[in-house]
Amino acid sequence: MGFLKLSLKNIARNRTRNLITLTSILIAVGVLFSVVSYDRGFSRSLEREMRRTGVHVTVVPTGCPHEAATLLLHGGVVPDRLDRKTVEGIKDHVSDQAEGYYPMLLAQAHDPRRDRLDLVYGMPGDGMADIKPQWQFSAGAFPENEEEIVIGRSVAARDGLRVGDSVAYRTNTGLPADAGHPEVGRPDTVGKDTPGADTPDMVTGYAEQPPRADDADSVRTFRIAGILRTTGTQDDDAVFVPLSVTRAILGDAEGITALGIRLEHPGAATRVIRDIERSFAGVQAVTADDLLETVAGVVQSARVLSFSMVILVAVVSGSGVLNAVLMTVFERTREIGTMRSLGASRLDIFRLTMNEALVLTFIGGAAGIVLANLGAPVIESFVRGFLPYVPEGRNIVFDPLVALGSLIFSMVIGVLAGLYPAWRASGITPIEAIRN
Amino acid sequence: MSVLIQTKNLEKVYHRGGEAVHALRGVELEFHKGEFATIVGPSGSGKTTLLHILGCLDRPSGGTVEIDGISLSDISGSGQDRIRREMIGFVFQEFHLIPSLSVADNILLPLLFSRKEPDPGYLDHLMETVGIVHRKDHRPNQLSGGEMQRAAVARALINRPQVLLADEPSGNLDTDNSIRIFKLLDSLKQEGITVIVVTHNMELAQMADRQVHFRDGRLADDPVRC
Ligand SMILES: Nc1ncnc2c1ncn2[C@@H]1O[C@H](COP(=O)(O)OP(=O)(O)O)[C@@H](O)[C@H]1O
Ligand SMILES: [Mg+2]
């Protein structure tokens, strides 16, 4: 028989009282475990969700109001451009955190055949799926080469366009993005190759060669590779083309409208934004989704609230343990004195008593973790009810480290609650026990 | 026979509400190795006080006690613990068995504190000697008084002490069981154990090699009827 067995036998003697104590520990540790698990799971899910949106930070020139900047992702028109030097500077600056760069260039382009002025959205051809991972196609798919484009649902509906149809744009007119109607192009240049149609370099986002000045007024045709489903955003009214095409349309080989940055850790978006805005004049940066920012704030306050609750429950259950163990010490004064007379040292008695507190908190803690796990779905649906936004899927995922941490927390309660009773018990002299 | 226990001018004063109670007044005693001695005397004469001091459960107010050459007044609290563990076995009038433990576990309990591995052979031998084998898995509350006291004697012996101290071990037992316990205690001489027993019962006291008479915290020269 060891110290532990002796303590266990003592605990078994006061079943009801210890069961109540266990329950309060169970609640404290269960709540702690749930809160930490949920917090971690939530952050992970949020990060995962943010990773699905390919671009976490968008840098645009200042001058456009903040709202316009967020609109950009959905196809707003921004007058100014970021020059090459600034863009390279930013890339250099965030190279530690960035996973990919997506230069974007907006233009208005004239299709002489339909006589339409389209909002054309240029982005690296092979980066399109990264920038717009949420896209769904009603027909077709992402472009596979520099001659293919994607069009929004409204554009397709308005002009009766289908996958495989072609669209023609006048290139190299020198028309700025915010200019009015372009001149009517000459039809004899249709289909002429433009050097600007080269595959854009994913790293720099620039065409290898700038379009030549004498290509002015040429017209190029593009095949519609995909038509989007209705998105409810400005994407419905836009045309998406390889970056080289907007360069050709604008006759601009340098500037971009916006630089999208994909981060290794999307959670760091706010920090990256602050950093960029501090270091570069004339630019402003926004996150891909302000909602996620808001959610992070709500989660933060929920976290503070939950942890205060955990501390409160821990104090209550800790006093419960203290009280339960202290009572057994008083009840067993005689037994403790007998053990001292049989040769038990003060430390032995201290240990026996402390063991009781630790066994209670260990069992209570372990049970709390198990129950919190079993009850995770209930907790999830409960939290879904009062948080404005909760990522899809299971957010509470069993993490052995969190479980271990919760158990240690429980044992710390045990140590703190056991100190006083153990000290009292170890002070019992053999005489006072035997005399009575 | 060599002297195992020696007290010199032993004094004990209790303080109760500002009033001093002299429980022991200059007690000079010697006990030999393997001796069976009884201490008799009227209630309140200081018998229990003496036994507690000999058993390292209490400290004297004056004088000295030596056990096997070790002076008890010189040792620390943990030193007293060690003497209790290694040299002394205690038997109480009220048995003081731990109710949540089986008889066998009760007997083995002192080994927990002396950090010794139980020796099953010795446990069986002890339980046989005291006649409690058939009760080894029972709880104390399932035992008769005699059985409880025999279990308590076995517990006092598990650490192979040099001295066994018993304070009115038959106080809660009928005559037959009392005689049985005293015979058991008497038999311990054969193993060289010094047995010192406090009792009220003069007939039982006669079973010992020697009777020490107490009166008012002193050794009485004449036998006193209690
Ligand atoms: N803890 C104590 N505090 C005060 N007085 C005590 C205490 N223990 C014993 N006494 C007193 O000391 C005297 C001797 O007691 P005790 O040794 O128990 O005698 P006995 O065992 O012979 O009956 C008695 O007068 C008793 O009242
Ligand atoms: Mg007495």
CSV table of all heavy atoms in Angstrom, one decimal, chain B residues 1-7 28-39 51 54 157 161-166 182 184-198 205 207-213:
chain,number,residue,atom,x,y,z
B,1,MET,N,21.2,-9.0,32.1
B,1,MET,CA,20.5,-8.3,31.1
B,1,MET,C,20.9,-6.8,31.0
B,1,MET,O,21.0,-6.2,32.0
B,1,MET,CB,19.0,-8.4,31.3
B,1,MET,CG,18.4,-9.6,30.7
B,1,MET,SD,16.6,-9.5,30.6
B,1,MET,CE,16.1,-9.4,32.3
B,2,SER,N,21.0,-6.3,29.8
B,2,SER,CA,21.5,-5.0,29.6
B,2,SER,C,20.4,-4.0,29.8
B,2,SER,O,19.2,-4.3,29.4
B,2,SER,CB,22.2,-4.8,28.3
B,2,SER,OG,21.3,-5.1,27.3
B,3,VAL,N,20.7,-2.8,30.2
B,3,VAL,CA,19.7,-1.7,30.4
B,3,VAL,C,19.4,-1.1,29.0
B,3,VAL,O,20.3,-0.7,28.3
B,3,VAL,CB,20.2,-0.6,31.3
B,3,VAL,CG1,19.2,0.6,31.3
B,3,VAL,CG2,20.4,-1.2,32.7
B,4,LEU,N,18.1,-1.1,28.6
B,4,LEU,CA,17.7,-0.5,27.3
B,4,LEU,C,17.2,0.9,27.5
B,4,LEU,O,17.5,1.8,26.7
B,4,LEU,CB,16.7,-1.4,26.7
B,4,LEU,CG,16.3,-1.0,25.3
B,4,LEU,CD1,17.4,-1.2,24.3
B,4,LEU,CD2,15.0,-1.7,24.8
B,5,ILE,N,16.4,1.1,28.6
B,5,ILE,CA,15.8,2.4,28.8
B,5,ILE,C,16.1,2.9,30.2
B,5,ILE,O,16.1,2.1,31.2
B,5,ILE,CB,14.2,2.3,28.7
B,5,ILE,CG1,13.8,1.8,27.3
B,5,ILE,CG2,13.6,3.6,29.0
B,5,ILE,CD1,12.3,1.5,27.2
B,6,GLN,N,16.5,4.1,30.3
B,6,GLN,CA,16.9,4.7,31.5
B,6,GLN,C,16.4,6.1,31.6
B,6,GLN,O,16.6,6.9,30.7
B,6,GLN,CB,18.4,4.7,31.6
B,6,GLN,CG,18.9,5.1,33.0
B,6,GLN,CD,20.4,4.8,33.1
B,6,GLN,OE1,21.2,5.2,32.2
B,6,GLN,NE2,20.8,4.3,34.2
B,7,THR,N,15.6,6.4,32.7
B,7,THR,CA,15.1,7.8,32.9
B,7,THR,C,15.8,8.3,34.2
B,7,THR,O,16.1,7.6,35.1
B,7,THR,CB,13.6,7.8,33.2
B,7,THR,OG1,13.3,7.3,34.5
B,7,THR,CG2,12.9,7.0,32.1
B,28,GLU,N,12.9,8.0,38.4
B,28,GLU,CA,14.1,7.3,38.0
B,28,GLU,C,13.8,5.9,37.7
B,28,GLU,O,13.3,5.2,38.6
B,28,GLU,CB,15.1,7.4,39.2
B,28,GLU,CG,15.4,8.8,39.7
B,28,GLU,CD,16.7,9.3,39.3
B,28,GLU,OE1,17.6,8.5,38.9
B,28,GLU,OE2,16.9,10.5,39.4
B,29,LEU,N,14.0,5.4,36.5
B,29,LEU,CA,13.6,4.1,36.1
B,29,LEU,C,14.6,3.4,35.2
B,29,LEU,O,15.2,4.1,34.4
B,29,LEU,CB,12.2,4.1,35.4
B,29,LEU,CG,10.9,3.9,36.3
B,29,LEU,CD1,9.7,4.1,35.4
B,29,LEU,CD2,10.9,2.5,36.9
B,30,GLU,N,14.6,2.1,35.2
B,30,GLU,CA,15.4,1.4,34.2
B,30,GLU,C,14.6,0.2,33.7
B,30,GLU,O,13.9,-0.5,34.5
B,30,GLU,CB,16.7,0.8,34.9
B,30,GLU,CG,17.8,1.9,35.0
B,30,GLU,CD,19.1,1.3,35.6
B,30,GLU,OE1,19.1,0.1,35.9
B,30,GLU,OE2,20.0,2.1,35.7
B,31,PHE,N,14.7,0.0,32.5
B,31,PHE,CA,14.1,-1.2,31.9
B,31,PHE,C,15.1,-2.0,31.1
B,31,PHE,O,16.0,-1.4,30.4
B,31,PHE,CB,12.9,-0.9,31.0
B,31,PHE,CG,11.8,-0.2,31.7
B,31,PHE,CD1,11.6,1.2,31.7
B,31,PHE,CD2,10.8,-1.0,32.4
B,31,PHE,CE1,10.6,1.8,32.3
B,31,PHE,CE2,9.8,-0.4,33.0
B,31,PHE,CZ,9.6,1.0,33.0
B,32,HIS,N,15.1,-3.3,31.2
B,32,HIS,CA,16.1,-4.1,30.6
B,32,HIS,C,15.6,-4.7,29.3
B,32,HIS,O,14.4,-4.7,29.0
B,32,HIS,CB,16.6,-5.3,31.5
B,32,HIS,CG,17.2,-4.8,32.7
B,32,HIS,ND1,16.5,-4.7,33.9
B,32,HIS,CD2,18.5,-4.4,33.0
B,32,HIS,CE1,17.4,-4.2,34.9
B,32,HIS,NE2,18.6,-4.0,34.3
B,33,LYS,N,16.6,-5.0,28.5
B,33,LYS,CA,16.3,-5.7,27.2
B,33,LYS,C,15.5,-7.0,27.4
B,33,LYS,O,16.0,-7.8,28.2
B,33,LYS,CB,17.6,-5.9,26.4
B,33,LYS,CG,17.4,-6.3,25.0
B,33,LYS,CD,18.7,-6.3,24.2
B,33,LYS,CE,18.6,-7.0,22.9
B,33,LYS,NZ,17.5,-6.6,22.1
B,34,GLY,N,14.4,-7.2,26.7
B,34,GLY,CA,13.7,-8.4,26.9
B,34,GLY,C,12.9,-8.5,28.1
B,34,GLY,O,12.4,-9.6,28.5
B,35,GLU,N,12.7,-7.4,28.8
B,35,GLU,CA,11.9,-7.5,30.1
B,35,GLU,C,10.5,-7.2,29.8
B,35,GLU,O,10.1,-6.4,28.9
B,35,GLU,CB,12.5,-6.4,31.0
B,35,GLU,CG,11.8,-6.3,32.4
B,35,GLU,CD,12.4,-5.2,33.2
B,35,GLU,OE1,12.9,-4.2,32.6
B,35,GLU,OE2,12.2,-5.2,34.4
B,36,PHE,N,9.6,-7.8,30.6
B,36,PHE,CA,8.2,-7.6,30.5
B,36,PHE,C,7.8,-6.9,31.8
B,36,PHE,O,7.8,-7.5,32.9
B,36,PHE,CB,7.4,-8.9,30.3
B,36,PHE,CG,5.9,-8.7,30.3
B,36,PHE,CD1,5.3,-7.5,30.0
B,36,PHE,CD2,5.1,-9.8,30.6
B,36,PHE,CE1,3.9,-7.4,30.0
B,36,PHE,CE2,3.7,-9.7,30.5
B,36,PHE,CZ,3.1,-8.5,30.2
B,37,ALA,N,7.5,-5.6,31.8
B,37,ALA,CA,7.2,-4.8,33.0
B,37,ALA,C,5.8,-4.2,32.9
B,37,ALA,O,5.4,-3.9,31.8
B,37,ALA,CB,8.2,-3.7,33.2
B,38,THR,N,5.1,-4.2,34.0
B,38,THR,CA,3.8,-3.5,34.1
B,38,THR,C,4.0,-2.3,35.0
B,38,THR,O,4.7,-2.3,35.9
B,38,THR,CB,2.7,-4.4,34.6
B,38,THR,OG1,3.1,-5.0,35.8
B,38,THR,CG2,2.3,-5.4,33.6
B,39,ILE,N,3.2,-1.2,34.6
B,39,ILE,CA,3.1,0.0,35.4
B,39,ILE,C,1.7,0.1,36.0
B,39,ILE,O,0.8,0.1,35.2
B,39,ILE,CB,3.5,1.2,34.6
B,39,ILE,CG1,4.9,1.1,34.0
B,39,ILE,CG2,3.3,2.5,35.5
B,39,ILE,CD1,5.3,2.2,33.1
B,51,LEU,N,4.5,6.9,29.8
B,51,LEU,CA,4.5,6.0,28.5
B,51,LEU,C,4.7,6.9,27.3
B,51,LEU,O,5.5,6.5,26.4
B,51,LEU,CB,3.2,5.2,28.5
B,51,LEU,CG,3.4,3.8,28.0
B,51,LEU,CD1,4.4,3.0,28.9
B,51,LEU,CD2,2.1,3.1,27.9
B,54,LEU,N,8.3,8.0,27.1
B,54,LEU,CA,9.2,6.9,26.7
B,54,LEU,C,9.0,6.6,25.2
B,54,LEU,O,9.9,6.2,24.5
B,54,LEU,CB,8.8,5.6,27.5
B,54,LEU,CG,9.1,5.6,29.0
B,54,LEU,CD1,8.8,4.3,29.7
B,54,LEU,CD2,10.5,6.0,29.3
B,157,LEU,N,4.1,-4.4,16.0
B,157,LEU,CA,5.3,-5.2,15.9
B,157,LEU,C,5.9,-5.3,14.5
B,157,LEU,O,7.0,-5.8,14.3
B,157,LEU,CB,5.0,-6.7,16.4
B,157,LEU,CG,4.7,-6.8,17.9
B,157,LEU,CD1,4.2,-8.3,18.2
B,157,LEU,CD2,5.9,-6.5,18.7
B,161,PRO,N,10.2,-3.6,16.5
B,161,PRO,CA,10.7,-2.6,17.5
B,161,PRO,C,11.5,-3.3,18.6
B,161,PRO,O,11.3,-4.5,18.8
B,161,PRO,CB,9.5,-1.9,18.0
B,161,PRO,CG,8.4,-3.0,17.9
B,161,PRO,CD,8.8,-3.9,16.7
B,162,GLN,N,12.3,-2.5,19.3
B,162,GLN,CA,13.0,-3.0,20.5
B,162,GLN,C,12.1,-2.9,21.7
B,162,GLN,O,12.3,-3.6,22.7
B,162,GLN,CB,14.3,-2.3,20.7
B,162,GLN,CG,15.3,-2.4,19.6
B,162,GLN,CD,16.6,-1.7,19.9
B,162,GLN,OE1,17.2,-1.9,20.9
B,162,GLN,NE2,17.0,-0.8,19.0
B,163,VAL,N,11.2,-1.9,21.6
B,163,VAL,CA,10.3,-1.7,22.8
B,163,VAL,C,8.9,-1.7,22.4
B,163,VAL,O,8.5,-1.1,21.3
B,163,VAL,CB,10.6,-0.3,23.4
B,163,VAL,CG1,9.8,0.0,24.6
B,163,VAL,CG2,12.1,-0.1,23.7
B,164,LEU,N,8.0,-2.3,23.1
B,164,LEU,CA,6.6,-2.3,22.9
B,164,LEU,C,5.9,-1.6,24.1
B,164,LEU,O,6.1,-2.1,25.2
B,164,LEU,CB,6.0,-3.6,22.6
B,164,LEU,CG,4.5,-3.5,22.2
B,164,LEU,CD1,4.4,-4.3,20.9
B,164,LEU,CD2,3.6,-4.0,23.2
B,165,LEU,N,5.2,-0.5,23.9
B,165,LEU,CA,4.6,0.2,24.9
B,165,LEU,C,3.1,0.0,24.7
B,165,LEU,O,2.5,0.2,23.6
B,165,LEU,CB,4.9,1.7,24.9
B,165,LEU,CG,6.4,2.0,24.9
B,165,LEU,CD1,6.6,3.5,24.6
B,165,LEU,CD2,7.0,1.7,26.3
B,166,ALA,N,2.4,-0.3,25.8
B,166,ALA,CA,0.9,-0.5,25.7
B,166,ALA,C,0.2,0.2,26.9
B,166,ALA,O,0.6,0.0,28.0
B,166,ALA,CB,0.6,-2.0,25.7
B,182,PHE,N,-2.3,-10.4,27.4
B,182,PHE,CA,-1.1,-10.4,28.2
B,182,PHE,C,-0.2,-11.5,28.0
B,182,PHE,O,1.0,-11.4,28.0
B,182,PHE,CB,-1.5,-10.3,29.7
B,182,PHE,CG,-1.7,-8.9,30.2
B,182,PHE,CD1,-2.7,-8.1,29.8
B,182,PHE,CD2,-0.7,-8.3,31.1
B,182,PHE,CE1,-2.8,-6.8,30.2
B,182,PHE,CE2,-0.8,-7.0,31.5
B,182,PHE,CZ,-1.9,-6.2,31.0
B,184,LEU,N,0.2,-12.9,25.1
B,184,LEU,CA,0.8,-12.5,23.9
B,184,LEU,C,2.0,-11.6,24.1
B,184,LEU,O,3.1,-11.8,23.6
B,184,LEU,CB,-0.2,-11.9,23.0
B,184,LEU,CG,0.2,-11.3,21.6
B,184,LEU,CD1,0.8,-12.4,20.7
B,184,LEU,CD2,-0.9,-10.6,20.9
B,185,LEU,N,1.7,-10.6,25.0
B,185,LEU,CA,2.8,-9.6,25.3
B,185,LEU,C,3.9,-10.3,26.0
B,185,LEU,O,5.1,-10.0,25.7
B,185,LEU,CB,2.2,-8.5,26.1
B,185,LEU,CG,1.1,-7.6,25.5
B,185,LEU,CD1,0.5,-6.6,26.4
B,185,LEU,CD2,1.7,-6.9,24.2
B,186,ASP,N,3.6,-11.2,26.9
B,186,ASP,CA,4.6,-11.9,27.6
B,186,ASP,C,5.5,-12.7,26.7
B,186,ASP,O,6.7,-12.8,26.9
B,186,ASP,CB,4.0,-12.8,28.6
B,186,ASP,CG,5.0,-13.5,29.5
B,186,ASP,OD1,5.9,-12.8,30.1
B,186,ASP,OD2,4.9,-14.7,29.7
B,187,SER,N,4.9,-13.2,25.6
B,187,SER,CA,5.7,-14.1,24.7
B,187,SER,C,6.7,-13.3,23.9
B,187,SER,O,7.6,-13.9,23.4
B,187,SER,CB,4.7,-14.8,23.8
B,187,SER,OG,4.2,-13.9,22.8
B,188,LEU,N,6.6,-12.0,23.9
B,188,LEU,CA,7.5,-11.2,23.1
B,188,LEU,C,8.9,-11.2,23.6
B,188,LEU,O,9.8,-10.8,23.0
B,188,LEU,CB,6.9,-9.8,22.9
B,188,LEU,CG,5.6,-9.7,22.2
B,188,LEU,CD1,5.1,-8.3,22.2
B,188,LEU,CD2,5.7,-10.2,20.8
B,189,LYS,N,9.0,-11.5,24.9
B,189,LYS,CA,10.3,-11.5,25.6
B,189,LYS,C,11.3,-12.4,24.8
B,189,LYS,O,12.4,-12.1,24.7
B,189,LYS,CB,10.2,-12.2,27.0
B,189,LYS,CG,9.4,-11.4,27.9
B,189,LYS,CD,9.6,-12.0,29.3
B,189,LYS,CE,8.9,-13.3,29.5
B,189,LYS,NZ,8.6,-13.6,30.9
B,190,GLN,N,10.7,-13.5,24.3
B,190,GLN,CA,11.5,-14.5,23.6
B,190,GLN,C,12.3,-13.9,22.4
B,190,GLN,O,13.3,-14.4,22.0
B,190,GLN,CB,10.7,-15.7,23.1
B,190,GLN,CG,10.6,-16.8,24.1
B,190,GLN,CD,9.2,-16.9,24.7
B,190,GLN,OE1,8.2,-16.9,24.0
B,190,GLN,NE2,9.1,-16.9,26.0
B,191,GLU,N,11.7,-12.8,21.9
B,191,GLU,CA,12.3,-12.2,20.7
B,191,GLU,C,13.2,-11.0,21.2
B,191,GLU,O,13.6,-10.2,20.4
B,191,GLU,CB,11.2,-11.7,19.7
B,191,GLU,CG,10.3,-12.9,19.5
B,191,GLU,CD,9.4,-12.7,18.3
B,191,GLU,OE1,9.7,-11.9,17.4
B,191,GLU,OE2,8.4,-13.5,18.3
B,192,GLY,N,13.3,-10.9,22.5
B,192,GLY,CA,14.2,-9.8,23.0
B,192,GLY,C,13.6,-8.4,23.1
B,192,GLY,O,14.2,-7.4,23.2
B,193,ILE,N,12.2,-8.4,22.9
B,193,ILE,CA,11.5,-7.1,23.0
B,193,ILE,C,11.2,-6.7,24.4
B,193,ILE,O,10.8,-7.6,25.2
B,193,ILE,CB,10.2,-7.2,22.2
B,193,ILE,CG1,10.5,-7.6,20.7
B,193,ILE,CG2,9.4,-5.9,22.2
B,193,ILE,CD1,9.3,-7.8,19.9
B,194,THR,N,11.5,-5.5,24.7
B,194,THR,CA,11.1,-5.0,26.0
B,194,THR,C,9.7,-4.5,26.0
B,194,THR,O,9.3,-3.7,25.2
B,194,THR,CB,12.1,-3.8,26.4
B,194,THR,OG1,13.4,-4.2,26.2
B,194,THR,CG2,11.8,-3.2,27.8
B,195,VAL,N,8.9,-5.1,26.9
B,195,VAL,CA,7.5,-4.8,26.9
B,195,VAL,C,7.1,-4.0,28.1
B,195,VAL,O,7.3,-4.5,29.2
B,195,VAL,CB,6.6,-6.1,26.8
B,195,VAL,CG1,5.1,-5.7,26.7
B,195,VAL,CG2,7.0,-6.9,25.5
B,196,ILE,N,6.5,-2.8,28.0
B,196,ILE,CA,6.1,-2.0,29.2
B,196,ILE,C,4.6,-1.8,29.0
B,196,ILE,O,4.2,-1.2,28.0
B,196,ILE,CB,6.9,-0.7,29.2
B,196,ILE,CG1,8.4,-1.0,29.3
B,196,ILE,CG2,6.5,0.1,30.5
B,196,ILE,CD1,9.3,0.2,29.1
B,197,VAL,N,3.8,-2.2,30.0
B,197,VAL,CA,2.4,-2.2,29.9
B,197,VAL,C,1.8,-1.5,31.1
B,197,VAL,O,2.1,-1.8,32.2
B,197,VAL,CB,1.8,-3.6,29.8
B,197,VAL,CG1,0.3,-3.5,29.6
B,197,VAL,CG2,2.4,-4.4,28.6
B,198,VAL,N,0.9,-0.5,30.8
B,198,VAL,CA,0.2,0.2,31.9
B,198,VAL,C,-1.1,-0.6,32.1
B,198,VAL,O,-1.8,-0.9,31.1
B,198,VAL,CB,-0.1,1.6,31.5
B,198,VAL,CG1,-1.1,2.2,32.5
B,198,VAL,CG2,1.2,2.5,31.5
B,205,ALA,N,-1.4,-7.6,36.0
B,205,ALA,CA,0.0,-7.0,36.3
B,205,ALA,C,0.9,-8.1,36.8
B,205,ALA,O,2.1,-8.1,36.5
B,205,ALA,CB,-0.1,-5.8,37.2
B,207,MET,N,1.3,-11.0,35.9
B,207,MET,CA,1.8,-11.8,34.8
B,207,MET,C,3.2,-11.3,34.3
B,207,MET,O,3.9,-12.1,33.7
B,207,MET,CB,0.9,-11.9,33.6
B,207,MET,CG,-0.4,-12.6,33.9
B,207,MET,SD,-1.6,-12.5,32.6
B,207,MET,CE,-0.9,-13.5,31.3
B,208,ALA,N,3.5,-10.1,34.7
B,208,ALA,CA,4.8,-9.5,34.2
B,208,ALA,C,5.9,-9.9,35.1
B,208,ALA,O,5.7,-10.4,36.2
B,208,ALA,CB,4.7,-8.0,34.1
B,209,ASP,N,7.2,-9.7,34.6
B,209,ASP,CA,8.4,-10.0,35.4
B,209,ASP,C,8.5,-9.1,36.5
B,209,ASP,O,9.0,-9.4,37.6
B,209,ASP,CB,9.6,-9.9,34.5
B,209,ASP,CG,9.6,-10.7,33.2
B,209,ASP,OD1,8.9,-11.7,33.3
B,209,ASP,OD2,10.1,-10.2,32.2
B,210,ARG,N,8.0,-7.8,36.3
B,210,ARG,CA,8.2,-6.8,37.3
B,210,ARG,C,7.0,-5.8,37.3
B,210,ARG,O,6.5,-5.5,36.2
B,210,ARG,CB,9.5,-6.0,37.0
B,210,ARG,CG,9.8,-4.9,37.9
B,210,ARG,CD,11.2,-4.5,37.8
B,210,ARG,NE,11.5,-3.8,36.5
B,210,ARG,CZ,11.9,-2.5,36.4
B,210,ARG,NH1,12.0,-1.8,37.5
B,210,ARG,NH2,12.2,-2.0,35.3
B,211,GLN,N,6.6,-5.3,38.4
B,211,GLN,CA,5.6,-4.3,38.4
B,211,GLN,C,6.2,-3.0,39.0
B,211,GLN,O,6.9,-3.0,40.0
B,211,GLN,CB,4.4,-4.7,39.3
B,211,GLN,CG,3.6,-5.8,38.8
B,211,GLN,CD,3.9,-7.1,39.6
B,211,GLN,OE1,4.0,-7.1,40.8
B,211,GLN,NE2,4.2,-8.2,38.9
B,212,VAL,N,5.9,-1.9,38.3
B,212,VAL,CA,6.4,-0.6,38.7
B,212,VAL,C,5.1,0.2,39.3
B,212,VAL,O,4.1,0.3,38.5
B,212,VAL,CB,7.0,0.2,37.6
B,212,VAL,CG1,7.4,1.6,38.0
B,212,VAL,CG2,8.2,-0.5,37.0
B,213,HIS,N,5.2,0.6,40.5
B,213,HIS,CA,4.0,1.2,41.1
B,213,HIS,C,4.2,2.7,41.1
B,213,HIS,O,5.2,3.3,41.4
B,213,HIS,CB,3.8,0.7,42.5
B,213,HIS,CG,3.5,-0.7,42.6
B,213,HIS,ND1,2.2,-1.2,42.6
B,213,HIS,CD2,4.3,-1.8,42.6
B,213,HIS,CE1,2.2,-2.5,42.6
B,213,HIS,NE2,3.4,-2.9,42.5
